[in-house]
Amino acid sequence: MAGLLAGAATPVLATAPLRSPRPPARPASAQIAALAPEAGAARSVPTGVLSTVLERAGLTGDTTVIAVDAETGAVIEEHRADLRVPPASTAKALTTMYALQTLGTEFRFTTRVETGAGARIENGTLRGDLVLRGGGDPTLQTDHLARLAAELVERGLRRIEGRFIVDDQALPTIEQIDPEQPVAAGYNPGIAGLNLNFNRVYFGWEVANGRAQLSMDARSDREVPPVSVIGIEAVSRDLPVYTYASRGGRERWTVAASALNQSGSRWLPVRRPAAYAGDVFRMLLAARGCQLPEPRLQSVPPGQILAEHRSETLPGVLRDMLRYSTNITAECAGLAATLRQGRAVQGLAPSAARLNAWVAERYGASGLALQDHSGLAEASRVSVRSMASYLVAARREGILPGLLREHQMRDANGRPQTNHPVEVRAKTGTLDFVSALAGYAHPRGGRPIAFAIVSADLPRRESTRSEESERPAGARAWTGRARTLQQDLIERWAGLHG
């Protein structure tokens, strides 16, 4: 229950997406002096045949690995490299270049406030419709909408005679990324042409005298607008902790009253993003003295632009996506790229199919079978050989390595090693009983390595699918062993190839 509630007395900022679990501290071991003679807590690089190293890791399921020379593609070492496995969030490394090469490095997502056709402002009144037009921005925050609202008020707008229209047709509307995820998983929201706060709503509860006061809002660093189109109520039960339904244009959550023992908060996923964003914008304008009617979702032709918000350029958006592993950013960027290619898509799988074909055409990495752009869908499959082929080819363009996050190597006590002799830039991937790492390792003074590692115990994952917990029993320890193996392998390859 505690894991499902993920309660915290202090609020979580809307600008901080969910992150992958951090590896636990590692047990003491020795490390080769030749690799890190100055390190305080030593580790030993595994020796012997690779299969023995993998067996010593103690991981259930399958592990598939490959390391190649990043310049020539020559194989350094591999094990079951053609086995097709879920890539988890390492898929985002593929989506990154798909979006960049298709949309361009100067691309920005744009959100606009417009007038309807023929509308005009007279004496503080807009005679006609007001349109909030989404551009598919996955990074749009409440503070950004607040600035748009302030601009309208500065222009003298106080009321409108027409309709308040929300146009979210820039991207297809998708209720959730992966229907197989836990219902309350904030990393699995809906997607639309108008998104807000990573399509998550803030649920807080204050407990006093044995009673819990519940609230929903769209808070940011400066604003805490209430939300009227999403509600939640406590219900007398133990399990399930959360239920969700959408009725009458409103999203409705229930939470088990027995789980609300102390004050806390968490972010819940939003399934109707455009209605949520329109509702929040209306509240922000009302707080500034400008009244709008309830929003109406509709596609309308472009009108006169009154105010607009432009996202950071695409490289910055994707760098943050790779750092925080934000699923919604990957999906929006991937869908936008497919639409730019002139492909009409209404779902993630058809768009991902285009990504698979594009990577094969441009980088020669065939055999990809992604079902989305983020790697959240368990049905996605790649081989580590295909991933390594992609990494080698993409490296030649000189873009991807600089966008990937520096992967922190650790000493035997789990502490970050800032002086580690191998620099690693990579993308992690984590699902329950799936752990992946793919990227580049550069030993000090040696040749660069491209590598991909995936461990997956799919039978165990399937057996825990029906559990209520967002962290099934044993998943954390299993992931810790997988992460330990990943560092062991990187250090091994640095010794073999460095």
Side-chain angles (χ1 to χ4, degrees):
M1 256 181 219
L4 276 170
L5 281 168
T10 55
V12 180
L13 293 180
T15 52
L18 290 173
R19 305 177 184 184
S20 299
R22 189 175 184 178
R26 307 176 192 281
S29 61
Q31 177 161 338
I32 313 188
L35 271 179
E38 69 278 20
R43 287 173 51 92
S44 61
V45 173
T47 57
V49 297
L50 179 58
S51 59
T52 301
V53 173
L54 298 175
E55 288 172 9
R56 285 202 298 260
L59 279 171
T60 57
D62 298 309
T63 293
T64 171
V65 308
I66 191 169
V68 303
D69 186 296
E71 294 178 350
T72 67
V75 175
I76 301 167
E77 196 167 54
E78 65 176 85
H79 175 77
R80 304 186 71 187
D82 295 308
L83 182 67
R84 290 159 66 85
V85 288
S89 283
T90 61
K92 294 182 176 73
L94 300 162
T95 298
T96 295
M97 295 311 300
Y98 178 58
L100 271 178
Q101 297 292 2
T102 303
L103 299 172
T105 57
E106 297 304 311
F107 176 84
R108 297 174 188 261
F109 294 97
T110 304
T111 305
R112 293 185 171 125
V113 183
E114 304 171 351
T115 62
R120 63 191 186 281
I121 299 177
E122 294 179 352
N123 300 320
T125 298
L126 176 63
R127 306 196 184 282
D129 297 336
L130 186 73
V131 181
L132 177 62
R133 185 182 304 280
D137 188 354
T139 66
L140 187 71
Q141 301 290 300
T142 292
D143 283 344
H144 301 145
L145 285 187
R147 284 196 284 274
L148 292 177
E151 286 186 46
L152 296 182
V153 172
E154 288 170 7
R155 292 176 68 111
L157 184 64
R158 294 296 181 269
R159 59 183 293 270
I160 69 171
E161 287 185 341
R163 301 167 298 172
F164 172 37
I165 294 173
V166 174
D167 189 331
D168 68 340
Q169 297 301 299
L171 296 179
T173 299
I174 299 167
E175 188 174 83
Q176 52 188 322
I177 298 171
D178 179 20
E180 300 298 322
Q181 298 299 316
V183 67
Y187 54 78
N188 185 41
I191 297 166
L194 181 61
N195 308 291
L196 184 65
N197 299 334
F198 301 102
N199 288 345
R200 298 178 304 160
V201 62
Y202 183 87
F203 165 43
W205 61 97
E206 295 288 337
V207 178
N209 300 320
R211 296 179 62 85
Q213 183 70 32
L214 314 185
S215 64
M216 288 280 206
D217 62 60
R219 66 184 55 201
S220 65
D221 291 343
R222 301 178 182 85
E223 308 279 343
V224 188
V227 175
S228 69
V229 295
I230 306 175
I232 191 165
E233 64 176 326
V235 177
S236 179
R237 65 167 187 261
D238 291 331
L239 292 173
V241 177
Y242 289 101
T243 68
Y244 171 86
S246 178
R247 295 191 301 271
R250 286 175 52 86
E251 298 187 67
R252 299 178 182 274
W253 289 88
T254 70
V255 59
S258 61
L260 304 175
N261 296 317
Q262 58 184 3
S263 299
S265 64
R266 68 168 292 163
W267 291 91
L268 291 172
V270 172
R271 308 288 186 219
R272 302 179 70 246
Y276 169 56
D279 183 50
V280 171
F281 187 61
R282 180 170 175 254
M283 296 293 183
L284 291 168
L285 271 170
R288 288 160 174 78
C290 180
Q291 302 298 321
L292 297 183
E294 292 190 5
R296 176 182 301 187
L297 271 59
Q298 185 176 333
S299 178
V300 294
Q304 178 188 351
I305 299 172
L306 299 178
E308 71 175 17
H309 169 76
R310 305 180 73 203
S311 74
E312 191 176 354
T313 56
L314 193 56
V317 170
L318 296 175
R319 184 180 289 109
D320 282 350
M321 174 199 74
L322 291 168
R323 179 179 181 185
Y324 297 112
S325 208
T326 42
N327 294 323
I328 183 177
T329 304
E331 303 302 353
C332 289
L335 286 167
T338 300
L339 291 170
R340 175 64 64 87
Q341 293 182 4
R343 311 292 177 117
V345 293
Q346 293 301 316
L348 295 177
S351 182
R354 179 55 199 150
L355 183 157
N356 297 330
W358 183 89
V359 171
E361 293 163 6
R362 185 177 181 91
Y363 298 110
S366 60
L368 301 176
L370 298 181
Q371 299 299 309
D372 58 24
H373 304 285
S374 64
L376 188 58
E378 183 193 306
S380 290
R381 291 290 185 273
V382 303
S383 71
V384 294
R385 192 183 306 281
S386 293
M387 181 65 80
S389 296
Y390 164 75
L391 291 169
V392 170
R395 182 178 178 273
R396 298 189 185 112
E397 296 173 335
I399 301 173
L400 182 60
L403 293 178
L404 288 169
R405 184 180 186 181
E406 182 177 357
H407 182 73
Q408 188 71 68
M409 302 292 275
R410 298 178 180 276
D411 65 19
N413 296 316
R415 295 175 301 212
Q417 283 188 274
T418 56
N419 58 353
H420 196 280
V422 184
E423 179 188 359
V424 181
R425 290 192 171 273
K427 181 71 191 78
T428 59
T430 305
L431 299 170
D432 292 333
F433 299 105
V434 177
S435 182
L437 186 69
Y440 307 97
H442 201 153
R444 189 181 303 154
R447 292 179 62 81
I449 299 167
F451 67 89
I453 308 165
V454 181
S455 298
D457 187 340
L458 297 183
R460 194 169 179 186
R461 175 173 171 78
E462 179 64 28
S463 70
T464 61
R465 187 183 301 280
S466 61
E467 293 183 16
E468 275 292 314
S469 174
E470 291 177 31
R471 272 188 198 147
R476 182 189 290 272
W478 188 94
T479 299
R481 290 192 294 274
R483 295 289 177 85
T484 300
L485 173 62
Q486 290 162 7
Q487 176 157 328
D488 287 345
L489 289 171
I490 290 170
E491 289 175 336
R492 172 187 172 87
W493 295 329
L496 290 173
H497 193 61

